[in-house]
Amino acid sequence: MMVKKWRQQMKRWMAEKLELPADIMMDLPRITMVGHIHIYIENHRGLLAFSDKELRLLLRNGQLVVRGEQFVIKTILPEEILLEGKISQVVYIDE
């Protein structure tokens, strides 16, 4: 456990000192929203569940849940997804 915490601190320090994007160094998701109609999510670990009202993605340290209505997956790649619909809520669930 101590090594994991040290590794996270080292990654933060490197991202800050080398001016590297934190999402890449710390393996975090990058989420881009256009209003409440589009959401583009990069750096996820897989699709856990999908319906016209909910999208659930696996992340390195948890899950990302997007809720709303009339969801349609426009693009899905191994680590990227583009979702369209009426987005009402985006929740990060930490493990």
Side-chain angles (χ1 to χ4, degrees):
M1 189 64 140
M2 189 77 137
V3 173
K4 188 175 182 180
K5 195 172 196 175
W6 179 83
R7 188 177 297 155
Q8 281 294 91
Q9 289 175 343
M10 184 58 112
K11 286 181 180 180
R12 279 193 193 111
W13 180 83
M14 286 179 61
E16 183 181 303
K17 297 299 178 192
L18 299 175
E19 297 180 12
L20 298 171
D23 59 316
I24 293 171
M25 287 300 298
M26 298 174 62
D27 204 18
L28 299 172
R30 178 182 292 254
I31 302 167
T32 306
M33 285 184 67
V34 177
H36 68 282
I37 58 170
H38 287 188
I39 187 166
Y40 182 67
I41 304 161
E42 299 173 85
N43 204 21
H44 68 83
R45 301 287 175 133
L47 181 64
L48 294 174
F50 174 74
S51 73
D52 64 334
K53 294 183 177 144
E54 183 177 279
L55 172 79
R56 190 174 292 261
L57 296 172
L58 180 64
L59 304 176
R60 182 177 181 270
N61 290 317
Q63 295 181 18
L64 186 72
V65 181
V66 182
R67 294 188 179 106
E69 298 175 359
Q70 303 170 353
F71 284 169
V72 175
I73 295 176
K74 288 297 190 174
T75 306
I76 187 165
L77 300 169
E79 294 184 3
E80 302 173 24
I81 192 164
L82 173 60
L83 179 72
E84 288 186 356
K86 295 179 182 177
I87 300 163
S88 60
Q89 187 178 40
V90 179
V91 179
Y92 178 79
I93 301 171
D94 198 10
E95 285 188 336

